[in-house]
């Protein structure tokens, strides 16, 4: 199962996310559920860093992606992260056995260096 954890600040804005696991809905390299979630999560990371030029801490490994904003979330980062979340939740609705999204308030996702 792919587990997605989204961290929100006290004001409700997303400050980070963690994606881990594999959906197991198809063979490695042929799994469109994994590919879809991975593409959304990686595109959000790229959009925030390369397009918005925001500082982030992140780690990408096989079956795992963690990202945390270094500064407070703003309107632009929120747009990117909420769009990512809309896409992942749509996949979760069609494949609830393979994707689980959870949200937590406060704290942050700690990205190992």
């Amino acid at each position: 199962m792919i587990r997605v954890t989204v961290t929100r600040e006290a004001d409700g804005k997303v400050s980070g996310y963690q994606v881990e696991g594999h959906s197991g809905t198809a063979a490695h390299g042929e799994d469109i559920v994994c590919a879809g979630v991975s593409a959304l999560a990686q595109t959000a990371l790229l959009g925030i860093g390369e397009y918005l030029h925001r500082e982030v801490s992140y780690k990408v490994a096989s079956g795992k992606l963690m990202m945390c904003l270094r500064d407070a979330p703003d309107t632009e980062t929120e747009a990117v992260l909420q769009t990512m979340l809309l896409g992942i939740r749509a996949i979760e609705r069609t494949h609830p056995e393979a994707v689980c999204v959870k949200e937590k308030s406060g704290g942050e996702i700690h990205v190992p260096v």
Side-chain angles (χ1 to χ4, degrees):
M1 173 169 281
I2 298 171
R3 292 168 306 285
V4 179
T5 304
V6 176
T7 302
R8 294 186 181 272
E9 297 294 305
D11 63 1
K13 289 184 178 165
V14 177
S15 59
Y17 60 92
Q18 179 172 316
V19 180
E20 52 186 334
H22 295 282
S23 74
T25 60
H28 182 73
E30 297 177 16
D31 193 327
I32 62 169
V33 174
C34 276
V37 172
S38 179
L40 288 163
Q42 290 185 44
T43 299
L45 174 61
L46 289 169
I48 289 170
E50 300 295 321
Y51 185 75
L52 296 179
H53 306 290
R54 300 303 194 274
E55 295 289 324
V56 297
S57 296
Y58 70 94
K59 181 173 183 171
V60 178
S62 179
K64 189 174 235 182
L65 188 155
M66 295 178 283
M67 189 285 295
C68 183
L69 296 170
R70 289 191 183 170
D71 294 318
D74 57 39
T75 304
E76 290 82 11
T77 62
E78 188 66 4
V80 171
L81 293 170
Q82 287 297 339
T83 301
M84 174 199 74
L85 192 52
L86 284 170
I88 292 174
R89 285 205 181 276
I91 295 171
E92 179 187 37
R93 279 192 302 279
T94 58
H95 297 281
E97 76 290 352
V99 180
C100 178
V101 178
K102 295 189 183 213
E103 297 190 21
K104 66 180 190 174
S105 298
E108 58 182 70
I109 292 174
H110 296 282
V111 179
V113 289

